Amino acid sequence: MRLSRFFMPTIKETPSEAQIVSHRLMLRAGMIRQSSAGIYSWLPLGLRVLRKIEQIVREEQDAIGAQEMLMPTIQPADLWRKSERYDAYGPEMLRITDRHDRDMLYGPTNEEQVTEIFADAAKSYRDLPKMLYHIQWKFRDEVRPRFGVMRGREFFMKDAYSFDLDFEGAKRSYNKQFVAYLKTFKRMGLTAIPMKADSGPIGGDMSHEFVILADTGESEVGCHRDLLENEWLNTIDLEGDLQVVVDSFTDKYAATDDERDLDIEGSLGDDLVVARGIEVGHIFFFGTKYSKAFNAVVTGPGGDEITAEMGSYGIGVSRLVGGIIEASHDDDGIIWPESVAPFKVGLINLKVGDDECDKACEDLYRQLQDAGIEVLLDDRDARAGAKFADMDLIGLPWQVVIGPKAVEAGVVEFKNRASGDRQEISAEAAIAQLTA
Ligand code: ATP
Ligand code: MG
């Protein structure tokens, strides 16, 4: 992509409406624009990141056998009357009336919709287990939308639903999602801690929120220090036995605000970490609440009737864009982990119009593209300082700078955004490092 043509409206000044760093940087980098409170347009740069995160989530869901589908954003109110959640949900639900005066709503989640579909199709115990998911926009009319995409009203969520024959099966599905979440967040460069969370009227210990720590988190959480430290995390083989992996995490204390246990915390001494947390995912077992309401019942091997045991598993895909920035930035801007970066490398032409510089940049641009590397070429006729500032702001993992002096010396300047390390190397060596 050429920056001269790319729609990336960056802003120099700090936007006054943004209270936290990720919101400021997303506006300044031209990733999003607000449409109305808590509702955003995703501009090309922001959408590239959103899509990368979505794809990592998708791959890890597919890997555990969850099957992707797509349910609508607009749902009929009757569906929610069946589960008795239509009135219970309150003003967070956006209620709509169609031209025939039928009550509709913009879905805040999809338990009802997916259970209705499943109940209609499943007949025999052989139809289970099943895990279904979609990645779709949700709407919740939050009292206080804030912090940009972190607490929006319209937001993008992966929500998966499991259907099992018995509790043992449901626990297996839960464990699969638990480990898939560990892998998902790790691939995004995040340390997301599974924390014991409120499990509502069902009780039990099968409700975990995955939380990343950041000063701007909305609630206070407590956990064992090991859960944050690579030294301990690296001792766990995520490909190992499911229950062993889950146990090794849940054996360590970690609790969201309303689940904290001050006695345990007192006993942890220096091993206790109390910090602010951002919830990026939530997995939850709820038994037969919806399968009963929608009659998701199958015939067992002996002709008996079995009501499906269910769980649901959410990830805040759009919240993660902000969450990753909260976890990875400096004074100059964003620092993208490679796995979610909008482009892998930014190529800066310091002297547009200079034949030698233009040629060196165009050659390298083409070679990188041929090698399948996502590259953003700054071919704008602008000051070097402005180019450096924009490139640091948008946070691509690598920068290649080409100016007249470098061209003469037959080198390029190769910079790592995270460490700030710069090397003068040949264009070939830069390509080799980027394709390694
Ligand atoms: P919260 O406690 O933050 O309001 P929740 O518990 O209501 O979230 P869930 O129903 O568990 O959220 O939704 C699954 C995931 O969707 C959450 O873990 C979070 O990452 C994301 N999410 C929820 N609400 C929002 C929102 N208003 N804006 C952006 N992401 C959200
Ligand atoms: Mg939650």
Side-chain angles (χ1 to χ4, degrees), residues 140 142 149-152 155 157 209 218 279-282 314-316 318-319:
R140 294 182 187 172
E142 301 273 359
V149 300
M150 299 265 265
R151 182 164 296 283
F155 59 98
M157 195 208 283
E209 285 182 9
E218 288 191 292
E279 177 192 334
V280 289
H282 190 179
I315 290 184
S318 50
R319 176 178 287 183

Side-chain angles (χ1 to χ4, degrees), residues 107-258:
T109 176
N110 286 67
E111 281 83 5
E112 283 80 358
Q113 183 71 82
V114 76
T115 311
E116 181 191 54
I117 294 168
F118 183 81
D120 187 49
K123 301 285 177 251
S124 146
Y125 68 94
R126 291 189 201 84
D127 296 324
L128 280 83
K130 282 277 177 309
M131 199 131 62
L132 298 167
Y133 77 98
H134 74 161
I135 307 177
Q136 176 64 292
W137 293 93
K138 305 286 186 288
F139 195 96
R140 294 182 187 172
D141 207 347
E142 301 273 359
V143 199
R144 215 144 81 87
R146 57 182 183 158
F147 300 161
V149 300
M150 299 265 265
R151 182 164 296 283
R153 293 198 295 164
E154 187 182 60
F155 59 98
F156 203 39
M157 195 208 283
K158 182 283 297 182
D159 39 324
Y161 305 90
S162 61
F163 301 87
D164 282 277
L165 284 173
D166 51 25
F167 179 75
E168 280 312 304
K171 187 165 181 175
R172 205 180 142 66
S173 297
Y174 187 88
N175 286 348
K176 281 186 184 174
Q177 287 285 353
F178 191 110
V179 176
Y181 275 41
L182 292 171
K183 292 181 184 172
T184 300
F185 297 124
K186 189 175 177 190
R187 281 181 64 184
M188 297 170 192
L190 293 173
T191 304
I193 307 163
M195 298 193 162
K196 190 169 150 37
D198 179 25
S199 51
I202 305 226
D205 53 7
M206 298 223 293
S207 174
H208 286 88
E209 285 182 9
F210 286 72
V211 173
I212 56 174
L213 303 187
D215 295 341
T216 48
E218 288 191 292
S219 63
E220 196 169 76
V221 298
C223 73
H224 193 292
R225 184 173 300 283
D226 280 353
L227 292 163
L228 286 164
E229 292 188 352
N230 286 330
E231 205 183 323
W232 182 81
L233 290 168
N234 290 337
T235 63
I236 293 164
D237 174 14
L238 295 183
E239 303 303 328
D241 179 77
L242 273 183
Q243 191 66 55
V244 171
V245 176
V246 171
D247 288 347
S248 49
F249 277 88
T250 54
D251 284 350
K252 301 265 178 197
Y253 174 77
T256 57
D257 47 3
D258 39 65

Side-chain angles (χ1 to χ4, degrees), residues 35-49:
S35 167
S36 63
I39 303 180
Y40 293 88
S41 296
W42 291 78
L43 308 191
L45 190 76
L47 184 61
R48 291 178 79 98
V49 178

Side-chain angles (χ1 to χ4, degrees), residues 381-400:
D381 187 10
R383 286 185 307 110
K387 293 187 173 193
F388 291 138
D390 270 352
M391 206 52 95
D392 280 348
L393 172 64
I394 67 171
L396 308 184
W398 301 95
Q399 298 175 9
V400 175

Side-chain angles (χ1 to χ4, degrees), residues 265-283:
E265 293 196 358
S267 71
L268 283 178
D270 285 348
D271 283 334
L272 175 69
V273 175
V274 172
R276 318 274 318 162
I278 300 170
E279 177 192 334
V280 289
H282 190 179
I283 61 176

